């Protein structure tokens, strides 16, 4: 994100259906503790806290404290956890400010205008850069992620706002990818709403021509398009835990959070080599060993495989149905081996992959030239 394009604006902060609340000093870090955690020994940075909220932001049972504050030319959303009498800094989202004065979004004019919204002159908190904050759970999570509406200015668009999403402080949704969207160019705002039942988000929710759902696949938010499957991570089980030179049974559980598809390919690659063998039912599952011929999409030709590849052909996969992939794997180099995952499907005459070059989640290209997610191995 180009933070230099973000600017200062006074708005009301929304926190799902609740607001930031004032807590006692014992429940939140002090200004000096915040400054030290975020800026180190820079004593010239003044911290002005706008609000805070205690909420669970990761898998641990302890509550985190989310603090919104301003400092100099920055606005920051930071997470802290109490450890005894000390506050432990977790992560921060920082945006640079440019003072353009108070402004608000006029829904009738569909543009940002100077001044305060009629009837909303008294705001709970004066926010800059951030138009809205929503805390909500994603599928498979029992903790909250942070979704914000961020305001920006960039020629020739001028003033506009887009959604951003963060899970445990890592970006999973980047609304700046919508800068070329026809409706954003017209309205200057990408409004969004959270579907509590499906745990998904929809942009332009009131406009049937442009309304679009986004779902979380375990790595990032994916647009839920017609005729597109979205194989989503559910769990990864390794029994016994990985040890170099010892075989483990690996079970990967996936759910299609997209639409029905007649044919999907699920690919698992093992760049660190090791030994892979099939487990149980092998129908629709093919194992490529080193030296076997595979197709490289970048080179547009067949090449000998550099390392093992497990490819699953999944037929007739409906929305919200689970599918499990099992195999035996013996690590060769590390007890935390690198395993790459991707999915591909045919859309008419095109081959579409998830992830792809537009993904914001970290990915690596496999030996076939496709972007692939890093499949995190559980730590026992």
């Amino acid at each position: 994100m180009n933070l230099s394009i973000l600017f200062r604006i006074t708005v009301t902060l929304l926190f799902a259906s609740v607001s930031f609340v004032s807590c006692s000093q014992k429940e939140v870090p002090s200004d000096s503790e915040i400054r030290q955690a975020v800026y180190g020994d820079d004593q010239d940075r003044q911290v002005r806290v706008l609000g805070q909220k205690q909420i669970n932001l990761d898998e641990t049972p302890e509550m985190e404290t989310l603090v919104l504050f301003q400092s100099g030319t920055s606005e920051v959303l930071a997470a802290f956890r109490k450890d005894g009498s000390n506050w432990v800094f977790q992560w921060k989202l920082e945006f640079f400010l440019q003072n353009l004065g108070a402004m608000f979004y006029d829904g009738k004019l569909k543009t940002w205008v100077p001044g305060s919204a009629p009837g909303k002159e008294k705001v709970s908190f004066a926010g800059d850069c951030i138009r809205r904050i929503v805390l909500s759970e994603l599928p498979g999570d029992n903790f909250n992620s942070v979704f914000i509406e961020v305001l920006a200015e960039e020629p020739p668009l001028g003033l506009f706002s887009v959604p951003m999403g963060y899970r445990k402080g890592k970006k999973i949704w980047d609304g700046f990818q919508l800068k070329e969207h026809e409706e954003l160019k017209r309205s200057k705002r990408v409004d969004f709403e959270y579907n509590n039942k499906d745990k998904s988000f929809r942009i332009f929710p009131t406009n049937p021509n442009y309304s679009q759902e986004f779902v979380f696949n375990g790595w990032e938010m994916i647009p839920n398009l017609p005729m597109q499957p979205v194989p989503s991570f559910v769990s990864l089980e390794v029994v016994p835990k990985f040890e170099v030179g010892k075989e483990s049974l690996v079970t990967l559980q996936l759910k299609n959070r997209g639409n029905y598809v007649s044919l999907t390919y699920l690919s698992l690659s093992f760049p660190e080599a090791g030994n892979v063998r099939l487990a149980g039912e092998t129908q629709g599952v093919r194992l490529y060993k080193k030296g076997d011929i595979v197709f490289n999409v970048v080179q547009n030709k067949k090449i000998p495989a550099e390392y093992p590849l497990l490819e699953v052909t999944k037929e007739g996969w409906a929305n919200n149905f689970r599918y499990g992939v099992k195999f035996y794997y013996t690590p060769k180099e590390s007890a935390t081996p690198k395993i790459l995952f991707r999915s591909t499907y045919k859309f008419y005459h095109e081959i579409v992959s998830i992830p792809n070059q537009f993904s914001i989640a970290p990915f690596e290209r496999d030996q076939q030239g496709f972007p692939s997610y890093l499949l995190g191995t559980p730590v026992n």
Side-chain angles (χ1 to χ4, degrees), residues 232-270:
S232 302
F233 177 87
V234 174
S235 64
L236 181 68
E237 183 181 13
V238 178
V239 180
K241 67 178 182 180
F242 283 134
E243 289 187 52
V244 175
K246 294 186 179 181
E247 186 176 74
S248 297
L249 175 62
V250 182
T251 304
L252 171 64
Q253 292 285 344
L254 302 165
K255 176 187 283 190
N256 180 15
R257 300 205 65 239
N259 292 287
Y260 173 86
V261 65
S262 58
L263 194 63
T264 308
Y265 298 97
L266 308 171
S267 301
L268 291 157
S269 297
F270 306 86

Side-chain angles (χ1 to χ4, degrees), residues 210-230:
Y210 296 104
S211 183
Q212 175 65 62
E213 183 185 38
F214 282 75
V215 297
F216 183 61
N217 72 344
W219 292 274
E220 60 184 325
M221 303 295 291
I222 300 290
N224 192 9
L225 304 176
M227 302 174 64
Q228 173 187 268
V230 182

